Amino acid sequence: QVQLAESGGGLVQAGGSLRLSCAASGRTFSAYAMGWFRQAPGKEREFVAAISWSGGRINYADSVKGRFTISRDNAKNTVYLQMNSLKPEDTAVYYCAAREVGISSTYYTSKGSYDYWGQGTQVTVSS
């Protein structure tokens, strides 16, 4: 079993920045692709960013390209989401997700592909 714990959410003004962290514990001896998703009120959970175990393959939703950066530190079993130039439409609960992989370059952009989820952290961007 893998447990994920997000942190770093909060309230920020438009144009500001936040860095989210997701610490993984449990079966950390395995290789996992990681992703960030978000869910705004009244909307479905949507893809934000994904990163392979190796860190060499990354993908972003069009809505966050150029503003968000996903990274990981496997030695710390942690994945990050650096969010810059935040907009009110970025307001959502942000979730970290993990999926065990058999190849280090694999990543996923569909929420249905992930097996493990964190509890979520609220990000609120005020205008």
Side-chain angles (χ1 to χ4, degrees), residues 13-121:
Q13 290 185 323
S17 299
L18 285 173
R19 190 181 76 158
L20 306 183
S21 298
C22 174
S25 61
R27 294 173 58 88
T28 55
F29 53 85
S30 299
Y32 289 90
M34 304 291 292
W36 286 98
F37 292 76
R38 66 187 183 187
Q39 188 166 18
K43 296 185 178 181
E44 295 186 29
R45 193 171 301 183
E46 66 175 358
F47 169 74
V48 175
I51 187 168
S52 64
W53 170 256
S54 67
R57 297 192 68 198
I58 294 171
N59 198 16
Y60 299 97
D62 288 342
S63 59
V64 305
K65 286 180 179 177
R67 300 188 299 119
F68 290 10
T69 302
I70 188 171
S71 62
R72 68 191 302 163
D73 186 340
N74 289 349
K76 296 181 178 180
N77 295 315
T78 301
V79 64
Y80 305 95
L81 185 68
Q82 178 67 47
M83 305 185 295
N84 298 326
S85 301
L86 283 163
K87 305 175 181 179
E89 51 262 46
D90 294 319
T91 296
V93 177
Y94 283 71
Y95 297 90
C96 177
R99 167 73 181 267
E100 187 175 10
V101 297
I103 183 170
S104 63
S105 60
T106 301
Y107 67 91
Y108 304 92
T109 60
S110 173
K111 60 181 182 292
S113 297
Y114 288 90
D115 299 312
Y116 304 101
W117 295 85
Q119 79 285 355
T121 185

